Structure formats: structure tokens, C-alpha cells
Amino acid sequence: MAFWFRHQNSEVRCQTFEYVKERVDCAIKAYNQNFENAEDVIFQCDLRETFPSQAQAFFIYLPVGKTLRKIVRQLRKRAETQKLFLYVIESHGDLISSLKMLLPELEEEKRIELQGKRHDPYLYVFSLTSKKEARRKEENLLKTSIES
């Protein structure tokens, strides 16, 4: 995902977090062939213990399980103060439906068709705003329209 963001908009700073060291090493090597400073972009960590503190956009390609549930709790907490974007590729056939169940406030922004053969051929782009934040925005909009 760091490659994609870098090609789309060099102003967007993307960080990649991966648990498997071999994948991190491979990603750093590939990234450095095209760009610089992969060590500032690609990190090895366990997302059950470490969560990106400044991120507003997340690429999720995970099986449903403890790690995903931990990430969902963190996303819900973060969405209380800012709008988030989730870029999601189906991993094992139940990720999209599980995210929609765990985060009913998810809004599908768009689907981007993928080239590779998959049982679900899309990259889903979701936005996430807490119900509390969404109500606050609706109230402000209503207040503004009444005052106008």
C-alpha cells in the first residue's frame, strides 16, 4: 500500500506495519528500488500491541481473529475524534462481512477492481466516523441551515 500511495500522491505519508520479518525485509528491498528511506515507511510489529498513532487511513488484509478485533477496537476509538479511511482487500472470504458487522457505521465510499484473480476482485474503500461524531456534524449542519 505504501507503493500505491506514493505513486498516487507523494504528499500522503503512508506507513506499513507487518508482523513477519521476511515480508518486511522483502518490502524494504522493493521499496528502496523505487524510492528512498523505506525504514521510515515499513515497520515490523505486532498490531495487537502497537497501533499507528497518527494514521487516518488503514489498509487491512487480515484473517478474522484476535488481531482484527483488536484493530477494530482501536479504529472505533480513533474514529471518535477524526474521520478514518479503510482500504480493505478480502483475505479469506469473511473479512468484509465481519468488518461491516463489527463496525456498522462503516460507509462504503467506492470499490476499485483488482487485476489479480480473487474470489472477491475488489479493493474496498470505507470511511469510518463514530456515531457520536456523525451526530455532532448533523447537528452543526442543521444549526447552520436554520441560522441561514
Side-chain angles (χ1 to χ4, degrees):
M1 196 48 118
F3 297 108
W4 187 77
F5 271 111
R6 185 72 186 263
H7 281 290
Q8 297 296 316
N9 181 351
S10 61
E11 299 299 314
V12 174
R13 184 165 186 260
C14 180
Q15 294 179 321
T16 300
F17 298 87
E18 171 60 54
Y19 182 74
V20 179
K21 182 176 181 351
E22 292 78 11
R23 289 183 187 164
V24 171
D25 294 342
C26 182
I28 287 173
K29 183 178 177 182
Y31 191 90
N32 280 336
Q33 289 175 353
N34 297 286
F35 308 108
E36 297 176 353
N37 304 322
E39 295 77 13
D40 295 335
V41 177
I42 302 167
F43 304 92
Q44 181 185 5
C45 74
D46 184 342
L47 287 173
R48 291 174 295 185
E49 298 172 9
T50 304
F51 196 73
S53 62
Q54 302 298 318
Q56 287 183 273
F58 300 84
F59 172 69
I60 301 176
Y61 178 72
L62 290 170
V64 174
K66 289 180 182 180
T67 302
L68 179 66
R69 286 191 295 277
K70 174 82 175 193
I71 290 170
V72 164
R73 283 193 296 275
Q74 293 289 338
L75 292 171
R76 182 175 283 120
K77 184 177 178 179
R78 179 82 52 84
E80 290 176 5
T81 59
Q82 64 188 32
K83 184 175 185 175
L84 304 178
F85 292 91
L86 309 181
Y87 297 81
V88 183
I89 294 178
E90 185 62 73
S91 64
H92 292 85
D94 57 355
L95 177 60
I96 303 296
S97 59
S98 294
L99 280 173
K100 287 179 178 180
M101 181 185 68
L102 293 168
L103 294 167
E105 56 272 31
L106 272 181
E107 291 185 37
E108 186 175 324
E109 299 286 332
K110 64 181 168 181
R111 294 181 191 188
I112 300 169
E113 191 165 359
L114 300 170
Q115 299 302 312
K117 292 193 177 223
R118 311 184 70 79
H119 58 276
D120 188 336
Y122 297 100
L123 166 68
Y124 291 79
V125 181
F126 295 104
S127 63
L128 175 63
T129 306
S130 74
K131 291 178 184 176
K132 184 170 104 177
E133 179 67 13
R135 278 194 304 272
R136 186 185 65 75
K137 287 181 181 179
E138 287 173 7
E139 288 170 6
N140 285 342
L141 183 62
L142 181 59
K143 182 179 175 184
T144 303
S145 63
I146 291 173
E147 292 173 352
S148 298

